[in-house]
Amino acid sequence: MKPHLTDDKLDTFVSLECKVLWLASWTIHNANHLRDNADGLKVGGHQASSASLATIMTALYFDVLRPQDRVAVKPHASPIFHAIQYLLGRQTRERLENFRGYKGAQSYPSRTKDADDVDFSTGSVGLGVAQTLFSSLTQDYVRAHGWGLARPEGRMVALVGDAELDEGNIFEALLEGWKQGLHNCWWIIDYNRQSLDAVVREGLWERYEQLFKNFGWDVVILKYGALQQVAFKEPGGEKLRHWIDSCPNQLYSALVFAGGAAWRKRLTDEIGDQGEVTRLIEQRSDAELAALMNNLGGHDLPSVRAAFRAIDHDRPTCFICYTVKGAGLPFAGHKDNHAGLMTPAQMEVFRQAMNVRPGHEWDKFEGLATPATTLQAFLDRVPFAQHGSRRLPAAQFAVPAELPVAIQPTMSTQTGFGALLNEIGKDTGEFARRIVTASPDVTVSTNLGPWVNRRKLFARQAKADTFKSERIPSTFNWEFSPQGQHIELGIAENNLFTLLSALGLSHAINGERLLPIGTLYDPFIARGLDALNYACYQDARFILVATPSGITLAGEGGAHQSIAEPLIGMAQDGLASFEPAFVDELAAIMAWALAYIQKDGGEVSERNWLRDETGGSVYLRLSTRPVEQIQRTMTDALRQAIVDGGYWLRKPGPNAQVVVAYTGAVAPEAISAVGLMAEDRRDVGLLAVTSADRLNAGWTAAQRARERGLVHARSHIERLLADVPPHCGIVSVLDGHPATLAWLGAVGGHRVRPLGVEHFGQTGSLAELYRHYGIDANAIVAAAQAIAPGRPIRHLKALP
Ligand SMILES: Cc1ncc(C[n+]2csc(CCOP(=O)(O)OP(=O)(O)O)c2C)c(N)n1
Ligand SMILES: [Mg+2]
């Protein structure tokens, strides 16, 4: 960490680099009280992994970054990030002392749980990296539409672990970025050649270099630090360089760990010549030799700063920075160091080396060569920290309570979705301008076509539809323009979710709100599930329209039939899920959803015990099955009930023996079953469940409230079931896993027979499959007969 290049601020930077490493190490050490936590991970991964990036992050945050730049920090470098924010006055000592503790600084940088302005959450490796790419596209989108032009363009920066690059989603993003003309994006690879388990393969950097160049990125390699560069110019220096270049990763790591004497022996044995090279080695003490060999590019502050500062263009740039995992710490380079923690004795040695007096561990300028006043004056002027909160305010856009749509007598929810968006496409209101749709190559098959015809595809450069210009008739106008409102992606669901994550944070990142709607086939949610979870965890706001769904797809067969998704919709934090059966329900839900994704604050509503004012994202599970629509007038009460999760399509009488509760595309079966039972069971009820998720969440919240003394708390489902007699049975049914509705019986103590789909994969006609899996009208009647005994239901046929 000695100055090598002339720079009047170098002393300051070196001091800050030392302090950042110290504070991060101390934060982790101090949190050792957590080391025996039952989480299995202990405090592992942080210490060595953080040290790897101390220099690079010092250069970035204190020198290179501007307020408009946004960063995804490698998960295990979170202590470095928090230490930097602490120095900048944006993180408290209390939270650092409570690192990994309850409400303390988070193990992995978190937008939602950390208090020090994390730009992008990380933790599940690979996702933060892709997020920067899609955030750059989002910034382009916003500016191309003429919004946010008063702010300077920012760079989206990812600090990437080298093993993180094994994650396939990064390459899916890379390909999409190339297609979309990515710029303003930096990926800085911490090439420490170590993963969690081991030392990585030889020569990966060459593959990366080629790969990034193939996708139009500039590649900058920081291999040698300034000490090494000077040494290479000495007599014998070229031999040393050659030796370094051909040294296997494992051996280099091992020697870094072993230290100066080991380097001397190895180098002397292998390239010692009793001449120039030997002299080069012998001129240096063990400590100097170790410093020379550890002086890789990524640990050389002047080289790192110079490399970043040299970029004078906006092309996407990948920096491959050679580093040592655990640099500057006793376990540097050891292949087992991922979970390494410094022992108290090692920490004591480190403390002394850093000139930190006991009791002064948290003092910002303790033990530094540069005077405190100089450092504070410098910190006060750090460009990155010049503005206040990094979360920008953004306007909300009013959505009409009623969205127009022409409802055909028979219609599927998917067709209804297309029709609704087609109508919104005609709307000249601002809310319609803020909608941006995206789809991974299923735009047409999810019924977004009419909307795209109206609103065009987005591209930074306009491109005509050749079919149109060649006058070849086509239903779809595939015209690209900077004003377009649809982003067409290749078939990569991870990219869809990460794009939604980026679009859905535009209000906070760009100060310009977008209303993103993404479409995909329901089963392929599973393909990008972690990216969806990541988007929700960051509190990105979007509407996800998943269609078609379930075995209702019938002839499409196995790989297209989804079962688990309704449960995913219920369990996913931050995502309110709906499965309407009728298009008027969908219209009500869409209008609500477009407002809900814009909300940000408020209390739990006592009306339904849901957190409607807090807002979140929305998942709509739709179907291609044409369903006969109910001719009715939408009232405010019905609209509210649909949004709250359910309503009585037929209210059960006081002597009801059975209630059928259904969700989604099986509505005709439920309706028909109620008809078939009418003569033999009294007062049968029919409950339309538009959102098992919201009914369940409201119920859970109301119970919690009652347990806390709010005795009058009642959720929507409790009110709906209040008058159902205790002996009445409930048959629940949906085209999805039966557990989705099975809990309904626990609300009022009714017996439930939950019908649904547990196995999948068979092709056939819809009727055949509903019969095969037991969700047709006859199966509902059979279930009713079983749980609501009475005289035989005459229309019941033998089950297959
Ligand atoms: C999706 C996912 N899988 C596994 C992990 C567990 N994990 C955390 S760090 C890590 C290795 C990281 O290596 P690298 O990216 O090279 O970072 P380094 O520790 O070398 O700094 C693994 C496997 C994770 N966080 N996310
Ligand atoms: Mg690594």
Side-chain angles (χ1 to χ4, degrees):
M1 287 186 206
K2 290 205 197 101
H4 310 298
L5 301 180
T6 48
D7 178 337
D8 59 341
K9 296 265 173 35
L10 193 55
D11 287 348
T12 299
F13 281 109
V14 170
S15 288
L16 290 172
E17 179 192 22
C18 289
K19 189 47 65 179
V20 162
L21 181 61
W22 162 259
L23 282 170
S25 305
W26 178 248
T27 298
I28 299 159
H29 183 76
N30 192 62
N32 276 357
H33 61 280
L34 297 167
R35 75 163 70 210
D36 294 325
N37 261 8
D39 66 3
L41 289 170
K42 313 224 166 129
V43 194
H46 290 297
Q47 221 155 43
S49 194
S50 277
S52 210
L53 274 174
T55 314
I56 289 168
M57 287 177 70
T58 300
L60 270 182
Y61 280 90
F62 293 123
D63 190 24
V64 180
L65 294 177
R66 296 293 175 270
Q68 63 271 21
D69 299 329
R70 301 286 183 168
V71 192
V73 175
K74 181 185 79 168
H76 283 106
S78 106
I80 296 278
F81 172 78
H82 294 310
I84 289 172
Q85 294 294 74
Y86 177 67
L87 288 174
L88 290 171
R90 293 167 166 240
Q91 175 62 289
T92 64
R93 172 175 165 177
E94 290 68 33
R95 288 205 191 85
L96 291 186
E97 283 180 324
N98 197 14
F99 175 60
R100 290 174 68 108
Y102 182 59
K103 305 229 165 159
Q106 299 290 298
S107 317
Y108 306 113
S110 170
R111 269 189 75 79
T112 48
K113 306 289 183 240
D114 268 317
D116 52 351
D117 256 354
V118 170
D119 288 328
F120 302 123
S121 302
T122 56
S124 176
V125 297
L127 296 176
V129 184
Q131 173 84 26
T132 58
L133 184 149
F134 287 107
S135 292
S136 181
L137 295 184
T138 300
Q139 176 174 257
D140 285 347
Y141 182 93
V142 165
R143 297 176 75 87
H145 286 74
W147 302 316
L149 294 175
R151 296 183 69 250
E153 247 180 347
R155 265 187 188 125
M156 305 297 159
V157 181
L159 292 158
V160 189
D162 49 356
E164 194 167 4
L165 280 169
D166 286 329
E167 288 288 0
N169 83 288
I170 293 181
F171 301 97
E172 295 175 27
L174 203 57
L175 180 52
E176 195 60 51
W178 174 79
K179 290 188 210 163
Q180 307 276 352
L182 174 72
H183 62 151
N184 287 322
C185 190
W186 282 9
W187 286 358
I188 301 167
I189 300 172
D190 178 8
Y191 194 52
N192 61 23
R193 286 146 294 138
Q194 282 188 249
S195 61
L196 189 158
D197 285 335
V199 176
V200 305
R201 294 280 181 288
E202 296 304 320
L204 270 175
W205 68 272
E206 289 164 295
R207 327 282 134 197
Y208 296 149
E209 184 186 21
Q210 229 28 66
L211 198 120
F212 278 94
K213 283 188 171 161
N214 282 345
F215 284 109
W217 290 54
D218 279 19
V219 178
V220 177
I221 299 177
L222 273 89
K223 181 160 187 184
Y224 315 108
L227 277 183
Q228 292 185 348
Q229 290 173 37
V230 170
F232 296 156
K233 293 203 184 104
E234 290 176 25
E238 264 314 306
K239 285 224 173 92
L240 178 67
R241 180 212 290 266
H242 180 73
W243 186 89
I244 291 177
D245 286 350
S246 48
C247 180
N249 290 340
Q250 290 239 29
L251 178 61
Y252 209 96
S253 293
L255 290 170
V256 164
F257 177 74
W263 279 117
R264 181 177 308 284
K265 174 154 190 348
R266 193 77 187 202
L267 289 171
T268 308
D269 286 354
E270 297 206 352
I271 49 172
D273 57 359
Q274 303 304 320
E276 293 169 337
V277 180
T278 303
R279 257 197 309 285
L280 190 154
I281 299 167
E282 285 181 352
Q283 269 166 18
R284 290 163 167 89
S285 67
D286 280 358
E288 284 168 344
L289 193 56
L292 173 67
M293 300 307 283
N294 288 355
N295 181 239
L296 298 178
H299 294 304
D300 189 58
L301 196 48
S303 307
V304 172
R305 283 178 65 211
F308 291 154
R309 282 173 160 248
I311 306 298
D312 57 1
H313 55 77
D314 67 0
R315 289 191 299 279
T317 303
C318 167
F319 299 86
I320 300 177
C321 303
Y322 277 71
T323 55
V324 172
K325 188 158 168 173
L329 305 180
F331 39 60
H334 198 292
K335 72 180 169 59
D336 302 342
N337 67 8
H338 188 81
L341 278 175
M342 279 197 265
T343 62
Q346 287 172 326
M347 198 63 200
E348 183 55 21
V349 172
F350 188 50
R351 187 184 61 69
Q352 285 174 19
M354 289 286 174
N355 290 325
V356 173
R357 289 165 295 162
H360 293 264
E361 291 86 354
W362 295 109
D363 294 2
K364 287 187 181 170
F365 307 122
E366 172 77 3
L368 297 179
T370 318
T373 47
T374 311
L375 288 170
Q376 190 57 59
F378 175 86
L379 288 174
D380 289 343
R381 287 196 305 274
V382 165
F384 171 77
Q386 283 316 300
H387 295 177
S389 166
R390 296 175 61 70
R391 275 150 216 247
L392 304 178
Q396 299 189 353
F397 300 95
V399 181
E402 224 160 324
L403 296 174
V405 60
I407 299 179
Q408 310 298 325
T410 299
M411 202 174 188
S412 71
T413 45
Q414 176 172 317
T415 311
F417 167 70
L420 272 158
L421 269 188
N422 185 34
E423 290 298 325
I424 296 175
K426 296 179 197 162
D427 196 307
T428 52
E430 187 61 11
F431 101 91
R433 290 227 305 142
R434 295 284 167 158
I435 289 179
V436 47
T437 56
S439 189
D441 202 24
V442 289
T443 299
V444 171
S445 50
T446 55
N447 275 42
L448 271 178
W451 157 265
V452 176
N453 279 346
R454 291 188 186 283
R455 296 290 181 145
K456 313 270 184 314
L457 295 108
F458 170 72
R460 282 168 65 211
Q461 253 91 47
K463 204 170 84 195
D465 182 342
T466 308
F467 276 72
K468 194 173 163 198
S469 48
E470 294 294 319
R471 295 175 204 280
I472 300 171
S474 159
T475 324
F476 300 106
N477 181 3
W478 214 245
E479 211 176 295
F480 290 85
S481 105
Q483 275 74 48
Q485 281 183 253
H486 175 73
I487 300 177
E488 179 69 9
L489 298 171
I491 330 167
E493 288 71 20
N494 270 307
N495 282 344
L496 173 72
F497 291 122
T498 317
L499 174 64
L500 289 175
S501 178
L503 295 169
L505 286 175
S506 179
H507 54 283
I509 299 286
N510 300 307
E512 294 292 341
R513 189 179 303 278
L514 299 173
L515 307 178
I517 301 178
T519 69
L520 86 170
Y521 294 175
D522 195 52
F524 305 133
I525 284 181
R527 172 74 74 109
L529 194 49
D530 197 29
L532 169 63
N533 181 52
Y534 174 69
C536 292
Y537 172 54
Q538 300 208 83
D539 200 21
R541 300 303 182 81
F542 52 86
I543 298 174
L544 181 65
V545 178
T547 183
S549 59
I551 58 157
T552 301
L553 273 170
E556 286 280 300
H560 284 66
Q561 297 171 345
S562 58
I563 292 180
E565 276 65 12
L567 292 174
I568 290 171
M570 284 179 89
Q572 180 60 54
D573 191 10
L575 193 68
S577 65
F578 294 86
E579 187 167 353
F582 302 106
V583 174
D584 60 352
E585 295 173 349
L586 176 64
I589 294 165
M590 284 274 292
W592 174 85
L594 284 164
Y596 178 71
I597 61 171
Q598 303 187 51
K599 299 260 164 78
D600 63 355
E603 292 298 308
V604 170
S605 154
E606 292 188 20
R607 185 182 47 74
N608 54 13
W609 289 95
L610 294 168
R611 299 186 301 175
D612 283 2
E613 293 312 311
T614 313
S617 287
V618 176
Y619 157 35
L620 307 180
R621 187 174 191 246
L622 305 185
S623 170
T624 37
R625 181 183 191 191
V627 168
E628 193 182 326
Q629 301 292 300
I630 305 171
Q631 303 304 314
R632 59 184 167 188
T633 315
M634 183 57 64
T635 61
D636 285 347
L638 178 57
R639 192 178 293 117
Q640 188 62 59
I642 288 166
V643 163
D644 287 348
Y647 61 95
W648 287 111
L649 207 48
R650 183 168 192 246
K651 200 161 171 21
N655 301 313
Q657 292 169 288
V658 67
V659 157
V660 177
Y662 75 90
T663 281
V666 296
E669 278 61 39
I671 292 168
S672 148
V674 169
L676 294 174
M677 290 188 270
E679 295 166 45
D680 301 309
R681 290 293 180 278
R682 286 188 305 274
D683 294 346
V684 181
L686 183 59
L687 183 66
V689 176
T690 46
S691 174
D693 178 25
R694 291 191 27 105
L695 286 185
N696 184 270
W699 176 52
T700 306
Q703 291 178 96
R704 242 192 330 257
R706 288 197 292 272
E707 286 150 19
R708 281 159 182 67
L710 295 165
V711 291
H712 298 299
R714 280 290 169 283
S715 62
H716 185 56
I717 187 64
E718 287 168 318
R719 277 195 296 268
L720 284 171
L721 297 181
D723 296 332
V724 177
H727 61 268
C728 181
I730 300 175
V731 178
S732 66
V733 59
L734 79 157
D735 181 0
H737 197 274
T740 311
L741 294 173
W743 58 275
L744 280 173
V747 176
H750 299 103
R751 286 184 69 193
V752 174
R753 167 67 172 103
L755 301 178
V757 183
E758 295 160 278
H759 309 286
F760 73 107
Q762 181 60 53
T763 53
S765 70
L766 188 117
E768 285 165 337
L769 292 194
Y770 276 18
R771 192 177 330 118
H772 178 81
Y773 292 110
I775 55 171
D776 62 353
N778 194 52
I780 297 171
V781 172
Q785 166 124 319
I787 60 160
R791 70 170 173 227
I793 301 175
R794 64 198 77 172
H795 292 290
L796 176 60
K797 297 192 208 96
L799 291 178

